[in-house]
Amino acid sequence: MRKDPIELKWLFLGSLITNTGISFIWPLTTIYMHEYLHEPLTTAGIVLLINSVFTVIGNYIGGWLFDHWRPYETILLGITIAAASAGVLIFWHGWPIYAVLLIILGLGNGIVVTCVNSIATMIKSHQPSYVFNVLYFTSNLGLVFGSLIVGFILPLGISYIFATAFGLFIIFWVVALLTFRQLNQAKQAIRRARVDTDRAEQTREKWPIYLLLLTLFVAWIGYEQWQSNISAYMLHLGMSVRSYSFLWTVNAVLIVTLQPLLTHFDGYLSQHLRGRLYTGFAFVCSAFLILIYANHYAWFVIAMAVLTVGEVIAFPAVSTFVNERAALQEKGKYQGLVTMAASAGRAVGPLVGALIIESISYPLLFVFCALLILVAVLIFAASGRKQKPTPTPRRLGQ
């Protein structure tokens, strides 16, 4: 068994740091642009959309550079871009420089996220599913930490928010500089092993990966409704902003509670990977079916709980499934596609939801999301049945 290129604790720490740093900045974008910079909400929405597009571009660049250049320098490049953007924001955060720097930050963050997932594919001391489970946990824990801390820092001034994020990125840069040095050597060892593995990997079908990525994309379109349009729906029903915010507390508590439990049963879940994906996406789909009839707050809490169970089960398993089917030389590329699918879903989700709401109604938006996810899952499931007559020895989790 080849030695890990880095210790897992440093990879998990990096994921925690970068997600905490990002959560200081992006949730404040709409509030800051509208309340402090006095820009219209549509302008804030356009900025967020462009930011998401550049995050997708960063995902692609990060995956390509990881495979074709040097992993060590690639992740340092991504952290440097993110840190530099946050550092400049400390001193210049007016309009339009704020929007420009936020977009550049999205590019750097896209590179970093893809690199972190790509490095996870190089870990040999643990099952890939275990590593991706913990990475999903640390990324969400970072978002929880950032969301909690930002409320205490913001009253001091917006510059302190950017300074804190800059400090976190610098810490990650130092951690990566000192502990990620063996990545290039590990990547070269993989390249030397290409002769023995390329023939088998070239015959492995890749279209199930793309069908799963499509499912992830549409799931994120639905998931984004919770972060955008559902808040307005709850206010329309007479519920408070505080009640809506509590839903995300439920989300965070369930993720922190359930993720370690799933990690404990990692061996069983790895052997039933497709079943895990079907179950998780079924929960996500069911959350929208509950919303169709939700007219009391308790139903929104139940729907959020069902949604969270689904995302904890399904979302980390996507990276595991893709990793098992990607060639050694293309791990970065396909992990980049995973993050691109999620980023693209986040980018178009609010717009798709708004168009349906304005044209029809909220309940039909929920029906649309449920059907979209259901159809995508059924198509992906059909790919599994077609593969059964001619399985390959290295295909797992089916």
Side-chain angles (χ1 to χ4, degrees):
M1 180 175 291
R2 183 166 53 83
K3 183 181 178 182
D4 292 342
I6 67 170
E7 292 185 50
L8 264 182
K9 62 182 180 182
W10 300 122
L11 183 63
F12 295 152
L13 177 63
S15 173
L16 179 65
I17 290 174
T18 192
N19 282 282
T20 303
I22 287 297
S23 68
F24 277 116
I25 298 176
W26 69 261
L28 295 175
T29 298
T30 301
I31 296 174
Y32 179 67
M33 288 186 62
H34 188 60
E35 300 295 334
Y36 292 81
L37 300 180
H38 307 294
E39 296 293 327
L41 289 174
T42 52
T43 302
I46 292 171
V47 170
L48 285 173
L49 176 61
I50 298 174
N51 172 268
S52 297
V53 170
F54 270 76
T55 300
V56 171
I57 294 172
N59 295 148
Y60 177 81
I61 292 173
W64 192 91
L65 291 176
F66 192 93
D67 287 335
H68 297 88
W69 190 45
R70 301 171 182 170
Y72 179 60
E73 284 81 357
T74 300
I75 193 167
L76 287 178
L77 173 65
I79 303 171
T80 300
I81 293 172
S85 303
V88 176
L89 279 170
I90 298 172
F91 306 101
W92 293 283
H93 41 260
W95 180 259
I97 188 64
Y98 172 79
V100 173
L101 291 171
L102 188 73
I103 291 167
I104 295 173
L105 178 64
L107 178 71
N109 182 55
I111 294 173
V112 172
V113 171
T114 294
C115 283
V116 168
N117 277 11
S118 299
I119 293 169
T121 67
M122 303 170 73
I123 301 298
K124 300 300 178 184
S125 60
H126 292 80
Q127 288 289 336
S129 54
Y130 169 85
V131 181
F132 287 119
N133 282 344
V134 179
L135 281 177
Y136 192 78
F137 173 76
T138 55
S139 65
N140 280 280
L141 192 62
L143 295 177
V144 171
F145 284 162
S147 300
L148 290 174
I149 298 171
V150 74
F152 295 97
I153 299 178
L154 184 58
L156 301 176
I158 194 70
S159 294
Y160 289 93
I161 294 291
F162 300 133
T164 305
F166 173 73
L168 287 169
F169 292 141
I170 290 298
I171 292 172
F172 186 23
W173 191 89
V174 173
V175 169
L177 179 71
L178 298 177
T179 65
F180 287 25
R181 291 179 176 176
Q182 300 301 314
L183 289 178
N184 291 346
Q185 292 89 324
K187 190 66 178 177
Q188 291 193 1
I190 290 174
R191 291 193 182 106
R192 287 193 295 269
R194 182 175 56 188
V195 175
D196 298 326
T197 59
D198 265 2
R199 182 173 298 177
E201 290 174 339
Q202 285 172 359
T203 60
R204 191 180 306 169
E205 293 176 327
K206 296 297 191 299
W207 51 272
I209 292 179
Y210 293 106
L211 293 177
L212 179 58
L213 293 178
L214 175 64
T215 305
L216 180 66
F217 169 69
V218 300
W220 268 106
I221 289 177
Y223 194 95
E224 273 302 299
Q225 306 312 312
W226 286 89
Q227 300 190 26
S228 54
N229 297 308
I230 287 178
S231 59
Y233 183 54
M234 292 178 66
L235 293 176
H236 175 72
L237 293 177
M239 302 173 196
S240 66
V241 174
R242 185 174 182 179
S243 297
Y244 170 73
S245 299
F246 178 74
L247 292 179
W248 292 106
T249 303
V250 172
N251 176 270
V253 169
L254 284 175
I255 288 175
V256 172
T257 303
L258 294 175
Q259 199 66 57
L261 183 63
L262 288 179
T263 303
H264 179 73
F265 292 100
D266 179 67
Y268 175 83
L269 294 173
S270 297
Q271 294 174 10
H272 302 83
L273 190 55
R274 276 188 174 266
R276 175 179 177 177
L277 288 165
Y278 301 151
T279 302
F281 285 119
F283 270 93
V284 175
C285 179
S286 299
F288 291 99
L289 297 178
I290 294 172
L291 284 178
I292 296 172
Y293 305 100
N295 51 15
H296 296 289
Y297 183 62
W299 287 108
F300 285 92
V301 176
I302 294 171
M304 173 58 84
V306 172
L307 177 79
T308 306
V309 171
E311 69 163 298
V312 169
I313 294 173
F315 288 0
V318 173
S319 294
T320 304
F321 183 93
V322 170
N323 175 62
E324 289 186 352
R325 285 150 182 80
L328 285 172
Q329 301 303 307
E330 297 181 317
K331 298 291 188 182
K333 169 188 172 180
Y334 282 99
Q335 290 303 320
L337 290 176
V338 172
T339 51
M340 286 173 66
S343 297
R346 285 192 290 265
V348 304
L351 177 60
V352 170
L355 290 174
I356 294 176
I357 292 166
E358 291 177 359
S359 303
I360 313 175
S361 66
Y362 280 100
L364 282 176
L365 168 64
F366 305 144
V367 172
F368 171 80
C369 291
L371 287 176
L372 199 64
I373 296 169
L374 177 62
V375 170
V377 171
L378 290 176
I379 294 173
F380 170 64
S383 74
R385 287 197 297 271
K386 289 180 181 179
Q387 283 179 289
K388 284 182 180 180
T390 55
T392 60
R394 295 186 59 188
R395 186 172 284 125
L396 304 175
Q398 296 188 14

